[in-house]
Amino acid sequence: MPLFSGRPVFVLGTGMHVPEKILTNQELEKMVETTNEWIIERTGIHTRHIAAPGELTSDLAFAAGVQAMKTAGVTVDDLDMVLVATNSPDTVFPGVAAKVQGMLGANCSGAADIQSGCTGCVYALAMGSAGIAAGLWDNVLVIGAEVLSSLIDWQDRNTCVLFGDGAGAVVLSSNEAGNLARILASDLRSDGTKHDLICFPGGLVQNPASEKTLEDNLHKVQMKGNEVFKFVNQALPGFLHESCERAGIKASEIDWWIFHQANLRIIDSVLRRLGVEPARAIVNLEKYGNTSAASVFLALHEAVAVGRLLPGQKILITSFGAGMTYGDIILEMQGEGHVQG
Ligand code: UT7
């Protein structure tokens, strides 16, 4: 994994926000042919949060961003860039980041969405860090936010039991004072030959909206779940091993692994292939399901908020998703952050 050069990059604070409504496995049993036992055994998911009608990705992103800025101790005037990783933007354009920047009143900040499947979160963290390391920006608000519940076919048990809505955020900065962690290295990859494994095919250039695209259900998330499962199990262990090697860090020296919270079985099997105890993983997918580009931010924020990550510990964050993209980023904890009890 290439180490960052240039100016050091720090994480100053984290935040998250999920919608109020909780959808349980038992409720899903009444909606599609599934069982609580199947969902728990195959995924580890117990509940997920679902946005209220009219509650948009930008609303969740804004709330998570405000909390991250508060814990970071930065103001809107400090922000140089807002990056939002999302696969469920309010609209294709304008992007969510521009709306959030406007809601914040961050008048000296740029804004851009990063759309790279669930890995968008890691891409956005790496791009924000690269901009700071290069001297382009001093403070970047990086958000992952999704309202995938609007894009899911609630009759398709292959997808509807998996996903949840939510947003998480991180403030990256060149400012060392009071920092929570330092960004060390990152590696980003893609295998675009597998672009058909997860897609949302309807409504744009390839399949402009029509009665036929509605009939063919093209305006909903389509996923070949089992093929994704196999791809990740095959690609990720070697990639993570190589990444650590290139960063000069052994997998055994990573204190905490924050995986994309897609499936507990994926997390366990990838870690076992790396020879790492599954107990080294930070997991909260049982509460939130797969929140796509937000998931690693929710896991990071909750771990920070309860003081689970200690100074000196190394954290590897990794994700995978539509594209197929995958990537990782390594941080080293410096302070204890904002323990919130
Ligand atoms: O965030 C983007 C990245 N996406 C992912 O990481 C998803 C990766 N994939 C997975 O997590 C898993 O493949 C799933 C959880 C989606 C599915 O688990 P699986 O063990 O791969 O199951 P499967 O697709 O091989 O299906 C096994 C059986 C099938 O029935 P038959 O053909 O054996 O009779 C499915 O029809 O399970 C059936 N099935 C269900 N049964 C009850 C599929 N979905 C459900 C369901 N409830 N919700």
Side-chain angles (χ1 to χ4, degrees), residues 7-15 64-65 68-69 72 74-85 97 100 104 106 108-112 114 121 123-144 168-175 183 297:
R7 297 195 300 169
V9 182
F10 301 98
V11 174
L12 292 191
T14 65
M69 288 171 60
V74 300
T75 70
V76 290
D77 297 329
D78 298 322
L79 289 185
D80 301 304
M81 180 55 65
V82 178
L83 297 176
V84 176
V100 170
L104 288 169
C108 296
S109 176
I114 311 287
C121 48
Y123 274 71
L125 280 173
M127 289 174 184
S129 299
I132 291 171
L136 192 59
W137 308 315
D138 283 319
N139 296 294
V140 180
L141 176 60
V142 182
I143 303 172
V170 157
V171 173
L172 298 174
S173 180
S174 59
N175 181 7
I183 304 283
F297 291 110

Side-chain angles (χ1 to χ4, degrees), residues 2-3 10-11 16 27-28 77 90 97 105 134 159 161 194 217 271 285 288 311 338:
L3 291 165
F10 301 98
V11 174
M16 68 174 269
E27 287 169 291
L28 277 163
D77 297 329
D90 303 357
T159 50
V161 304
K194 298 193 167 48
N217 212 23
L271 284 179
L285 60 80
Y288 305 115
H338 45 89

Side-chain angles (χ1 to χ4, degrees), residues 41-43 197-198 223-237 262-270 273 320 324:
E41 191 191 312
R42 300 287 179 125
T43 70
L197 295 193
I198 313 172
M223 183 169 76
K224 297 177 182 165
N226 193 259
E227 287 184 46
V228 173
F229 190 90
K230 286 184 196 148
F231 171 79
V232 174
N233 272 301
Q234 177 253 319
L236 220 57
N263 187 322
L264 190 55
R265 284 191 298 146
I266 294 180
I267 299 175
D268 284 353
S269 76
V270 171
R273 283 168 206 225
F320 48 85
M324 292 293 293

Side-chain angles (χ1 to χ4, degrees), residues 21-92:
K21 181 181 162 43
I22 294 174
L23 179 66
T24 64
N25 290 349
Q26 287 77 9
E27 287 169 291
L28 277 163
E29 284 177 349
K30 295 181 196 138
M31 296 161 64
V32 285
E33 201 185 327
T34 193
T35 59
N36 177 43
E37 293 70 30
W38 190 96
I39 301 171
I40 292 175
E41 191 191 312
R42 300 287 179 125
T43 70
I45 299 166
H46 292 230
T47 57
R48 67 287 292 144
H49 290 244
I50 302 293
E55 195 173 21
L56 303 180
T57 303
S58 55
D59 297 322
L60 305 187
F62 172 72
V66 166
Q67 190 185 16
M69 288 171 60
K70 202 169 152 202
T71 59
V74 300
T75 70
V76 290
D77 297 329
D78 298 322
L79 289 185
D80 301 304
M81 180 55 65
V82 178
L83 297 176
V84 176
T86 184
N87 302 288
S88 49
D90 303 357
T91 51
V92 175

